[in-house]
Amino acid sequence: MLNASKNNTYTLEGLEKLKEKISILHTGSQNLDKMLEGGFRNYSVIEIYGPAGAGKTRLIHQLLLKASLELEGQEIFHIDNEGNFRPAILEAIGSRFSNFDSKVLNKIYVSRPITYEQFMALLEFLSKKDVKFLSIDTIVTHIRMLPSKEYISSLKKILLSIRQIANK
C-alpha cells in the first residue's frame, strides 16, 4: 500500500507512484474496451447495472475468465450472492481465446454466502488478502428487504468493505 494519510490524501509524488501501479484488465470486447479507455483499472470499484437479461452476469463471467488469463500467479475471487455462477459458461467463453487452458479456471475462487453475516465475514477475510480481482454478483442481495434506515446503514458497511479491498 502506498503511504497516505488516514483520510487517503496523497502527495503529488504519492499520486505519481500510484499511477505507476495501475494496470488495465481488458474485457475481451473491443467496443467495451474502447468505451472504458482500455478496460477496467485496478484500485477501482465498478458497478455494472441494468435490467434483468441485459448481460451483467455474462460480463462478470467474461471478466473472471480474462482476469484468470491475464493476472498470472494471482487468485481471482467471485462472490455469488445470486447463485448465477456457472463454470460451463466460463468454458464456453474460454473456447474463443487461443491461450485458453481450462486449468486457469482453478485460479477462480467462488463463494456463495447465504446470509448478510456470512457476506460481511467474507469481505473481512478478503480485506486481509492481496486481492487483484474481485467480482460480486449483487451486493444488495442480503439487505434488499430491510427497512430504509437499516438498508442504508448495511449498504454503507458493504461499500466501505469493498473500498478497503480495492485500496490495497
Side-chain angles (χ1 to χ4, degrees), residues 22-166:
I22 292 175
S23 61
I24 295 175
L25 175 66
H26 303 287
T27 66
S29 164
Q30 290 179 345
N31 291 334
L32 186 54
D33 283 346
K34 185 176 179 180
M35 287 175 29
L36 297 170
E37 297 179 357
F40 292 107
R41 284 153 182 75
N42 56 341
Y43 301 106
S44 298
V45 175
I46 294 115
E47 178 181 18
I48 300 167
Y49 64 94
K56 300 177 299 293
T57 301
R58 174 69 79 163
L59 178 58
I60 287 174
H61 279 81
Q62 185 155 324
L63 292 172
L64 285 165
L65 179 65
K66 289 296 288 180
S68 68
L69 291 170
E70 292 185 23
L71 301 175
E72 292 189 29
Q74 302 295 323
E75 298 171 331
I76 312 303
F77 295 92
H78 176 65
I79 301 175
D80 186 20
N81 288 325
E82 292 290 317
N84 291 326
F85 178 78
R86 303 286 181 269
I89 293 174
L90 287 176
E91 291 179 11
I93 295 170
S95 66
R96 298 182 318 192
F97 297 99
S98 61
N99 61 339
F100 177 70
D101 179 348
S102 62
K103 291 177 186 172
V104 300
L105 300 181
N106 290 326
K107 292 170 48 176
I108 302 171
Y109 293 84
V110 179
S111 180
R112 284 190 177 153
I114 304 301
T115 66
Y116 171 75
E117 291 75 20
Q118 289 176 346
F119 180 43
M120 292 306 295
L122 182 56
L123 291 176
E124 183 179 336
F125 167 77
L126 292 174
S127 73
K128 295 175 180 143
K129 295 187 72 63
D130 185 25
V131 176
K132 296 299 183 198
F133 185 88
L134 168 65
S135 62
I136 303 171
D137 193 352
T138 311
I139 66 169
V140 298
T141 299
H142 304 295
I143 64 170
R144 62 173 52 123
M145 300 305 284
L146 291 175
S148 181
K149 191 174 182 179
E150 290 176 53
Y151 175 88
I152 292 169
S153 174
S154 298
L155 183 58
K156 283 181 183 178
K157 289 176 187 175
I158 292 169
L159 293 173
L160 286 171
S161 295
I162 294 169
R163 173 49 55 202
Q164 183 180 12
I165 294 166

